[in-house]
Amino acid sequence: MSLFKSIATFGGWTLISRISGFFRDMVMANYLGAGAVSDAFFVAFKLPNLFRSLFAEGAFTSAFVPLFSQKLVGEGKENAIKFAVGAISVLVFGLGVFVALMEFLMPWVVMLLAPGFVDDIGKIELAASLSRITFPFLLLVSVVSFQSGILNSFGKFAAPAAAPVILNLVMIAAVWVFMPVIDMPVYRIAFGVTLAGVLEIVWLNGFLRCEGVKINLIYNLSELFKNKDIRVLFKRIAPGVLGAGVYQINIMVDTILVSLVGAGAISWLYYANRLQQLPLGVVGAAIGVALLPILSRQLKAGDNAEAQKTQEKAIEYGVLLSVPAAVAIIVLAEPIINILFQHGKFGFFETQMTAQAVIVYSFSLPVYVMVKALTPNFFARGDTRTPVKYSVVVLAANLVFSLLLMKPFGHTGIAAATSLSAFVSLYQYVHGLKKRGYWAFPRRLTVYVGKVVFCSLVMGGVLYGGRVALDLATGGWLCFSLWMKLPLFGLLCFFGVVTFCIMIKITGVMNVAALLKSLLKRKERHV
């Protein structure tokens, strides 16, 4: 499957997942608001997801997918599956022990992660209780990430990308399904998290069986650790764990600092980050997931020239999709937050605070997408050490920026620190790839990025003018009911998309009609 089709498949399902995620967040905003209860829940929800990136989507997947893809090419399907079964067996055992330990230590873990809760014993107890319910999700979702890595290596991107939809739908349904037996909505949602992990495993296991992959855990761990391939895997995982660990420490530092800002601040940044995660997940994650197995196969085959072209295409697609998205979110931040979350316990003040963070986060959105597109170039070569070094620098930069900016600017200062750190990360990756001779940012691509930025700014001007015109014509359209606001917002988006398509046609950035035609072609092609 071509890079574009892989990105489109994964990104399309991820878009559906993100949209269902917004419905989930709307339900949570309505029932939990943006205060003490929601802060406690988001700490509990963040805990398994912090370690999820460390153990599954970060170090493990980055080391496993290239090795599994190369085994498929060099040794065949049967040997690749044997390797996969051994790897998952070690992962499940290790995470099972870790989850049990964390369940015991949970109150102290919560105090470490959210020191701003210490003065409120009830808040600590609530967060610890919720965390004990949600934390087994770490083990479950790590297995899901492993299953996804196998399917992605087989060129199957749809089912793994659709799996998070299950989480969103179950969390929404839990609010009402558990109502007869659980009084507090926050506990219903927490139980929904863990239940969703079980259902995601069942979902992906069906697709693995269609590919002829059957996972039966191996319990002789001493024999597994003697296996040469497993030892190579864990040698590559070790620096990856450090790198992912640095990234998670970065997130933990943000959570610790923002818990000191005041009640509601954790929730404001959560909702703002969720909005940024829509394009970042659809575009950035899709590119990273699709690119890693393709680059691994090309480099294994010794086709360096084709690998360089693939890398350039990944940057092009990332810029084309993320820059206009960032501009649109900046211009329409308040209307988006108003429409999505300003219901029930989530009021006008919460909308203003969240919108401020959204705007600051969005400046770094294209930068994060480019970093997502460049990182696989190291992992595909088995180089997991260099990203660790970069992550340490980014952690230090984020900490310094946060300490400098949080006092004068509060929660938006912490968001700004995250954005500034992204630029530091991008510089390192571009410079590091060029220095090692892996890939250099060509002048043609620089011109391309400039054109996309110009087209996006024109689109942003049209969106801003349309928003002002609507305000003048209606006397404040954001005060209307939801069903009256939605078509007006849709009209704004329509004019924005049309403007951007016209501009990229005029500037020669891309032929939209030709792009759609290539996507719809059934015949598979290389990039």
Side-chain angles (χ1 to χ4, degrees):
M1 184 180 286
S2 71
L3 177 62
F4 180 75
K5 286 188 177 181
S6 299
I7 293 171
T9 301
F10 189 91
W13 279 104
T14 304
L15 176 61
I16 295 172
S17 168
R18 298 297 180 180
I19 291 171
S20 66
F22 278 126
F23 281 110
R24 179 197 80 192
D25 291 339
M26 289 170 71
V27 170
M28 289 196 298
N30 187 69
Y31 279 90
L32 307 183
V37 173
S38 63
D39 283 356
F41 174 78
F42 290 135
V43 167
F45 191 43
K46 187 172 288 187
L47 259 177
N49 285 294
L50 285 174
F51 292 102
R52 163 190 186 172
S53 296
L54 175 63
F55 292 118
E57 293 171 350
F60 191 87
T61 302
S62 299
F64 171 76
V65 171
L67 286 173
F68 185 80
S69 298
Q70 289 164 11
K71 277 190 171 292
L72 280 176
V73 174
E75 300 179 26
K77 183 177 178 179
E78 185 177 347
N79 285 331
I81 293 174
K82 285 181 180 178
F83 165 68
V85 170
I88 187 60
S89 299
V90 175
L91 177 72
V92 168
F93 174 78
L95 284 183
V97 173
F98 180 74
V99 168
L101 180 63
M102 289 290 286
E103 290 287 326
F104 176 73
L105 298 174
M106 197 58 73
W108 296 276
V109 174
V110 169
M111 283 190 282
L112 177 65
L113 186 63
F117 290 6
V118 171
D119 295 333
D120 188 338
I121 298 300
K123 204 170 178 180
I124 284 282
E125 290 177 350
L126 177 61
S129 178
L130 293 171
S131 297
R132 281 182 166 138
I133 296 169
T134 61
F135 202 72
F137 181 69
L138 165 63
L139 174 59
L140 300 170
V141 79
S142 296
V143 174
V144 169
S145 296
F146 170 85
Q147 293 172 306
S148 299
I150 296 176
L151 288 169
N152 291 338
S153 297
F154 283 117
K156 306 296 181 181
F157 297 95
V165 177
I166 296 173
L167 172 65
N168 298 327
L169 295 180
V170 172
M171 288 177 69
I172 292 170
V175 174
W176 296 283
V177 171
F178 294 139
M179 189 178 291
V181 291
I182 302 174
D183 184 48
M184 292 179 65
V186 69
Y187 279 101
R188 299 176 215 155
I189 297 171
F191 277 109
V193 171
T194 300
L195 175 60
V198 176
L199 296 178
E200 286 185 28
I201 291 175
V202 173
W203 163 262
L204 290 181
N205 191 57
F207 289 92
L208 284 172
R209 286 181 177 273
C210 291
E211 295 297 319
V213 179
K214 189 176 181 181
I215 304 295
N216 292 318
L217 295 181
I218 298 172
Y219 299 99
N220 189 348
L221 295 177
S222 61
E223 191 68 29
L224 280 177
F225 281 115
K226 294 177 184 177
N227 184 285
K228 177 184 175 182
D229 294 327
I230 297 295
R231 288 204 304 269
V232 170
L233 174 66
F234 279 90
K235 282 180 181 177
R236 291 192 181 183
I237 283 178
V241 167
L242 292 175
V246 169
Y247 175 73
Q248 296 312 317
I249 291 170
N250 208 357
I251 294 176
M252 289 179 66
V253 167
D254 284 354
T255 304
I256 290 168
L257 294 177
V258 78
S259 75
L260 301 172
V261 171
I266 290 177
S267 301
W268 302 333
L269 284 188
Y270 169 82
Y271 288 117
N273 189 255
R274 286 289 298 162
L275 185 56
Q276 188 201 31
Q277 287 297 319
L278 174 61
L280 182 57
V282 172
V283 182
I287 289 174
V289 168
L291 187 61
L292 182 56
I294 293 173
L295 273 182
S296 298
R297 288 195 297 268
Q298 289 172 342
L299 292 172
K300 176 69 174 178
D303 198 347
N304 293 325
E306 194 65 24
Q308 296 229 3
K309 290 179 183 177
T310 300
Q311 181 67 80
E312 287 185 25
K313 283 292 182 183
I315 295 291
E316 285 183 12
Y317 296 147
V319 168
L320 180 68
L321 296 170
S322 65
V323 173
V327 172
I329 291 173
I330 290 169
V331 175
L332 301 176
E334 185 181 345
I336 294 172
I337 299 300
N338 176 284
I339 290 170
L340 287 176
F341 305 128
Q342 194 171 313
H343 316 285
K345 294 182 179 180
F346 197 103
F348 176 76
F349 175 72
E350 287 79 9
T351 294
Q352 295 296 308
M353 295 297 100
T354 304
Q356 289 174 14
V358 166
I359 292 170
V360 175
Y361 273 139
S362 296
F363 279 100
S364 63
L365 173 59
V367 179
Y368 271 118
V369 169
M370 283 193 278
V371 169
K372 288 270 190 183
L374 293 173
T375 305
N377 209 314
F378 287 100
F379 291 140
R381 301 169 191 274
D383 183 356
T384 54
R385 295 180 181 275
T386 300
V388 174
K389 299 174 184 177
Y390 295 166
S391 297
V392 171
V393 174
V394 171
L395 169 63
N398 184 64
L399 180 60
V400 170
F401 291 142
S402 294
L403 292 174
L404 289 174
L405 298 173
M406 67 175 287
K407 188 171 182 179
F409 301 109
H411 72 293
T412 55
I414 294 173
T418 302
S419 291
L420 290 170
S421 300
F423 285 90
V424 174
S425 183
L426 178 62
Y427 170 79
Q428 290 183 110
Y429 275 97
V430 172
H431 178 72
L433 287 170
K434 183 178 180 180
K435 180 180 177 181
R436 289 163 178 77
Y438 294 166
W439 180 78
F441 210 101
R443 185 179 180 280
R444 180 196 63 79
L445 199 54
T446 304
V447 174
Y448 176 89
V449 172
K451 287 182 178 180
V452 173
V453 170
F454 173 72
C455 296
S456 301
L457 291 175
V458 173
M459 177 205 69
V462 170
L463 287 174
Y464 182 76
R467 181 182 166 186
V468 171
L470 273 179
D471 283 333
L472 293 175
T474 62
W477 63 286
L478 291 179
C479 296
F480 293 171
S481 68
L482 176 62
W483 301 112
M484 292 180 69
K485 287 184 288 191
L486 280 175
L488 294 174
F489 181 75
L491 188 64
L492 275 178
C493 294
F494 173 76
F495 280 116
V497 171
V498 170
T499 300
F500 184 71
C501 289
I502 291 172
M503 290 304 301
I504 62 174
K505 174 69 173 176
I506 292 172
T507 56
V509 168
M510 183 166 289
N511 187 325
V512 179
L515 182 65
L516 292 174
K517 185 178 179 181
S518 69
L519 176 61
L520 296 173
K521 264 190 175 182
R522 292 185 179 182
K523 184 180 178 182
E524 293 185 351
R525 299 180 302 174
H526 295 293
V527 175

